[in-house]
Amino acid sequence: MLFTESTIGEFFEEQVRNEPDRDFIVYPDRNLRFSYQEFNERVDDLAKGLLSIGITKGDHVGIWARNVPDWLTFLFATAKIGAVLVTVNTAYKSHELAYVMKQSDMKALAIVDHFRDVDYVETVYDLVPELKTCKRGNLKSEEYPNLESVIYIGQEKHRGMYNTSELLLLGTHIDRDELDRIKKTLNCEDVINMQYTSGTTGFPKGVMLTHKNILNNGYYIGERQKFTEEDRVCLPVPLFHCFGIVLGVLATLTHGGTLVMIELFDPLLVLAAVQKEKCTALYGVPTMFIAEFSHPMFEMFDMSTLRTGIMAGSPCPIEAMKKVIDEMNCKDITIAYGLTEASPVFTQTSTDDTIDRRVSTVGTSMDHIEVKIVDPETGEIVKPNEQGEICCRGYNVMKGYYKMPEMTEKAIDKDGWLHSGDLATVDEDGYYRITGRIKDMIIRGGENIYPREIEEFLYTIDGVKDAQVVGIPDEKYGEIVGAFVVLNEGSDLTPADIRDYSITKIARYKVPKHIFIVEEYPLTASGKVQKFKLRDMAVELLENKDE
């Protein structure tokens, strides 16, 4: 029996009745807080505002924004009227935004002013010049025939766009009965959220997720951390990704807790938020945690209220994990593994697991989800501790990729198993270890080389802070091993030093032929290293070296 068959709107309203006055959302740097009741009222007004401009069940509403407070209002408002929230990566630029708007058949797009060096308002005007001449809500765009409205999240007015204040006001003129009527037509199996895979390889695909997918996954993720209504979760990861929405928002909501939001990751803001709001849980990718405990002002902040949290997105160096446990007081930190297509988590460690299991595995399978490891060539289940592709089946598997039936069939087999493309092993106790991606595997002269194994080795070298290993095209061997290494501050290690040491410690064919010392890696907005960009960089660096 699953935890809930409710829609997100129904479940949220139940929590409002249970805990109307408890803090639901806090923005410490804005001194802004909403109780469950206050936030629900704002959500209802925005939901009615969306209805007033013609958005209803099944329509696709894009959101392209930092973690501003009304991001979450849009999340719950669209859920209450059965519209599909299409989350757009904040790091996207005009080419990528154009692709998502078109591919998703977007009817409305909500935006903020900018992110880093990209002016969102000007980007949208460049893509949709008709906005400046069309009446609001009656947009007719040649390039984007489905797009009818653009909404600016904020007070400012922009030609051709609604702003959130106007929508909230419009919502007060819509009869409550209209919202209630639509809510009665919704079902937990409806697609409610569409997330575009982060694009570490190939064209982004729109992953269709249902109320049932993400609400239940959020609950079981919170259970692994032993969440209660007393938990206060500091969330500095972007909301456009499953990490933010499911692991963060829905894991907290399903346990009646409080979300402490960070609009844009900054280690100092995170440390200040944890202290000010007495957070009990902290989320992030490994690079975020490293930035926090490495900050020169770290010692000035009180981390004593922290207990648990989640580290996910990429493998964590063991030394970094020990610091998070010992110095940040996250004694019960958990590791989660999954992918957007799986809503996203299907294995996770628990607070009771030993430190060794929390640093060397991604835990055991989640409740109500089957997990298996198969030989990528034959599809046969492999023996314990043998490497193969990790697959899952259960309530959490996506409905499919939007308008990509062939890609959906490749990802989900006829028996309902979702194929991750990730390589893993499982031990006799059911603990899974991720060893790399099938596509990341390097084949050097017929030898299969798994980058994760070499990366773990490189972490052990004194002076190495982080390492990423990729295959570099080679005429003789097909591929050779390349490594991009970030050094600790003050380290004077050279590529030759690393290579000479490696020769003495690992098989010769695994030793990186080329080592590049870098200060940082190209990352997706959700913190994943873009290995295909590292491969391109390696080729370019070697070509320049030969000239």
Side-chain angles (χ1 to χ4, degrees):
M1 184 78 174
L2 275 180
F3 166 63
T4 183
E5 298 279 341
S6 300
T7 65
I8 287 170
E10 285 170 339
F11 190 88
F12 177 54
E13 288 172 3
E14 196 178 309
Q15 294 293 56
V16 173
R17 288 190 289 275
N18 292 339
E19 298 281 354
D21 301 322
R22 186 182 291 281
D23 282 347
F24 179 41
I25 296 165
V26 179
Y27 276 80
D29 57 325
R30 289 175 179 249
N31 211 20
L32 174 71
R33 62 187 66 232
F34 287 107
S35 68
Y36 274 78
Q37 179 70 48
E38 290 163 340
F39 186 67
N40 188 47
E41 287 166 9
R42 189 173 182 87
V43 166
D44 281 353
D45 284 343
L46 184 63
K48 291 188 292 178
L50 290 170
L51 290 175
S52 75
I53 64 167
I55 303 298
T56 189
K57 183 179 177 179
D59 287 339
H60 291 185
V61 178
I63 184 162
W64 193 33
R66 305 181 302 278
N67 289 4
V68 292
D70 273 330
W71 205 113
L72 291 166
T73 319
F74 274 92
L75 172 67
F76 286 94
T78 49
K80 282 200 182 195
I81 61 172
V84 179
L85 191 68
V86 180
T87 60
V88 183
N89 190 318
T90 49
Y92 276 4
K93 296 193 176 176
S94 61
H95 179 72
E96 295 134 322
L97 177 66
Y99 171 81
V100 170
M101 283 165 65
K102 200 172 286 187
Q103 205 279 331
S104 69
D105 297 325
M106 200 179 282
K107 188 173 180 179
L109 172 65
I111 64 169
V112 289
D113 48 1
H114 73 282
F115 177 74
R116 300 206 170 110
D117 61 336
V118 182
D119 184 321
Y120 283 9
V121 175
E122 283 309 312
T123 300
V124 172
Y125 279 142
D126 287 345
L127 291 175
V128 194
E130 298 94 338
L131 259 183
K132 293 192 173 180
T133 54
C134 282
K135 192 178 174 187
R136 290 183 311 174
N138 288 293
L139 177 63
K140 296 285 185 286
S141 167
E142 202 175 313
E143 198 68 25
Y144 309 97
N146 292 287
L147 192 66
E148 292 180 5
S149 302
V150 177
I151 303 154
Y152 180 78
I153 305 174
Q155 306 296 323
E156 294 87 353
K157 292 183 184 295
H158 296 282
R159 189 178 290 277
M161 300 184 193
Y162 293 102
N163 67 21
T164 35
S165 300
E166 290 167 325
L167 279 191
L168 290 163
L169 186 61
L170 284 168
T172 62
H173 299 297
I174 293 282
D175 197 312
R176 173 93 206 172
D177 291 346
E178 177 65 9
L179 180 57
D180 290 341
R181 183 189 65 76
I182 285 182
K183 286 197 295 194
K184 284 178 182 145
T185 69
L186 306 183
N187 185 285
C188 68
E189 302 282 1
D190 295 337
V191 173
I192 200 62
N193 185 237
M194 204 150 89
Q195 303 195 21
Y196 278 77
T197 52
S198 41
T200 47
T201 54
F203 274 111
K205 300 180 283 291
V207 176
M208 297 186 288
L209 301 173
T210 66
H211 297 271
K212 187 177 183 176
N213 285 152
I214 61 178
L215 195 52
N216 283 288
N217 204 238
Y219 171 75
Y220 292 114
I221 288 161
E223 286 293 281
R224 287 284 168 110
Q225 298 171 83
K226 291 190 166 63
F227 275 178
T228 71
E229 68 275 5
E230 299 301 323
D231 277 295
R232 301 174 71 81
V233 182
C234 183
L235 194 64
V237 299
L239 286 168
F240 70 80
H241 191 268
C242 269
F243 200 168
I245 292 179
V246 186
L247 286 76
V249 178
L250 296 181
T252 306
L253 168 70
T254 49
H255 291 80
T258 300
L259 281 165
V260 178
M261 298 298 303
I262 305 295
E263 190 171 322
L264 199 57
F265 176 71
D266 177 290
L268 205 53
L269 277 180
V270 173
L271 295 170
V274 168
Q275 176 174 297
K276 183 182 177 187
E277 292 298 325
K278 297 183 166 47
C279 294
T280 60
L282 177 59
Y283 283 18
V285 295
T287 50
M288 288 179 173
F289 282 98
I290 291 167
E292 289 150 13
F293 67 64
S294 303
H295 196 280
M297 294 172 72
F298 174 69
E299 297 293 334
M300 296 170 63
F301 292 92
D302 180 8
M303 300 283 109
S304 63
T305 58
L306 283 177
R307 171 184 69 82
T308 187
I310 295 178
M311 197 184 293
S314 58
C316 178
I318 286 168
E319 289 311 309
M321 175 61 91
K322 286 178 180 169
K323 285 190 176 179
V324 170
I325 291 169
D326 297 337
E327 296 175 25
M328 297 186 76
N329 204 47
C330 288
K331 304 274 190 273
D332 296 341
I333 190 91
T334 66
I335 296 287
Y337 163 75
L339 51 152
T340 308
E341 292 88 337
S343 298
V345 173
F346 60 94
T347 76
Q348 188 178 350
T349 60
S350 71
T351 58
D352 304 326
D353 284 330
T354 62
I355 289 177
D356 179 58
R357 277 186 165 149
R358 282 185 273 156
V359 295
S360 63
T361 80
V362 291
T364 56
S365 59
M366 302 292 276
D367 289 359
H368 302 290
I369 298 174
E370 297 173 82
V371 181
K372 67 176 181 178
I373 295 180
V374 300
D375 183 311
E377 298 299 318
T378 65
E380 295 295 313
I381 293 175
V382 301
K383 292 175 185 168
N385 303 308
E386 277 187 17
Q387 186 167 250
E389 182 183 20
I390 187 167
C391 306
C392 72
R393 182 169 69 177
Y395 74 85
N396 63 312
V397 173
M398 66 172 177
K399 272 282 176 82
Y401 296 120
Y402 186 63
K403 295 197 309 190
M404 292 184 176
E406 289 177 6
M407 298 301 287
T408 303
E409 279 183 29
K410 278 186 182 176
I412 305 169
D413 68 27
K414 61 179 176 22
D415 296 319
W417 289 95
L418 173 70
H419 289 254
S420 69
D422 284 336
L423 294 164
T425 62
V426 61
D427 65 21
E428 289 83 356
D429 298 320
Y431 284 82
Y432 292 86
R433 288 175 171 77
I434 305 303
T435 52
R437 276 195 68 75
I438 291 172
K439 287 175 184 170
D440 280 349
M441 187 174 72
I442 300 165
I443 304 176
R444 178 190 179 276
E447 290 278 3
N448 289 353
I449 300 170
Y450 301 101
R452 175 76 190 276
E453 181 188 353
I454 303 169
E455 288 161 0
E456 285 290 350
F457 164 74
L458 292 172
Y459 287 142
T460 67
I461 300 175
D462 194 21
V464 170
K465 183 178 181 180
D466 203 353
Q468 295 292 327
V469 170
V470 295
I472 305 171
D474 181 73
E475 279 185 20
K476 183 179 178 184
Y477 293 105
E479 279 183 304
I480 49 175
V481 181
F484 286 79
V485 173
V486 177
L487 298 178
N488 286 321
E489 206 172 313
S491 172
D492 57 0
L493 275 179
T494 66
D497 296 334
I498 296 170
R499 192 170 150 73
D500 290 347
Y501 179 76
S502 302
I503 287 169
T504 68
K505 298 289 180 183
I506 56 173
R508 189 73 184 228
Y509 72 88
K510 295 180 186 174
V511 173
K513 171 83 171 169
H514 300 288
I515 297 169
F516 309 96
I517 306 292
V518 295
E519 290 185 2
E520 57 186 11
Y521 303 123
L523 302 173
T524 65
S526 50
K528 291 182 182 176
V529 177
Q530 293 176 301
K531 287 201 170 186
F532 71 97
K533 286 191 178 177
L534 289 179
R535 287 188 194 97
D536 293 346
M537 281 168 59
V539 170
E540 197 177 316
L541 288 165
L542 292 172
E543 281 174 356
N544 292 340
K545 190 178 168 185
D546 292 340
E547 284 175 4

